[in-house]
Amino acid sequence: MDYEQMIATVRQRAGLGENEAVRSVQAVLSVLGERLAGQEADNLAAQLPDRLDASVTRNPQGRRWDIGEFLKHVGDREQVANADQVRQHAQAVLRTVAEALNDDERHDLLAQLPGGIIDLFGVPTPRG
């Protein structure tokens, strides 16, 4: 999936304009990257369009955020106060990210996340 296609998909899913979709994608990827431990943020960024590489925060220790904390940070970075809108935007971005990843990377990524965040991806919970 290329950059334009990713932004267009998020726009459609979340009902956002171009600038809002870009800001939402950047906010979600930043928080998601910070939540991931080890090399997982690098692995995620490697499968996304090059223009989004800098949006994926690298934090080798990974944050232990649950869904509530995750969405709070997304809302703060996206500058959206409405919790329902933040959830809708995060879900649109993460569903699109899930489609952009190969099966192995999607499995590795989801294996690091708690159930509440995994639910936003709209894919089955990884096993094993």
Side-chain angles (χ1 to χ4, degrees):
M1 182 178 300
D2 67 21
Y3 178 82
E4 288 78 17
Q5 183 180 11
M6 182 169 257
I7 298 301
T9 301
V10 170
R11 284 184 66 189
Q12 186 270 326
R13 286 181 171 159
L16 297 170
E18 177 85 17
N19 292 336
E20 292 84 4
V22 169
R23 188 169 49 243
S24 183
V25 168
Q26 291 171 338
V28 172
L29 290 177
S30 173
V31 175
L32 179 61
E34 198 169 334
R35 174 65 175 76
L36 300 172
Q39 297 295 316
E40 196 54 43
D42 288 329
N43 296 341
L44 167 65
Q47 291 201 16
L48 296 175
D50 289 342
R51 288 175 62 183
L52 294 174
D53 183 80
S55 297
V56 180
T57 301
R58 272 56 166 204
N59 178 22
Q61 293 77 34
R63 305 279 185 190
R64 302 299 296 169
W65 296 326
D66 63 15
I67 182 67
E69 293 166 307
F70 181 86
L71 291 173
K72 180 196 176 308
H73 289 289
V74 169
D76 289 348
R77 292 180 195 181
E78 190 179 9
Q79 299 179 336
V80 173
N82 182 294
D84 291 335
Q85 287 179 340
V86 172
R87 179 180 284 277
Q88 179 185 8
H89 300 172
Q91 186 170 29
V93 173
L94 294 176
R95 288 184 68 198
T96 305
V97 166
E99 293 169 1
L101 302 177
N102 69 36
D103 290 342
D104 289 339
E105 179 54 29
R106 185 171 39 254
H107 178 272
D108 291 348
L109 172 73
L110 296 176
Q112 285 202 20
L113 301 172
I117 298 173
I118 290 172
D119 293 344
L120 296 174
F121 283 85
V123 297
T125 303
R127 305 271 188 250

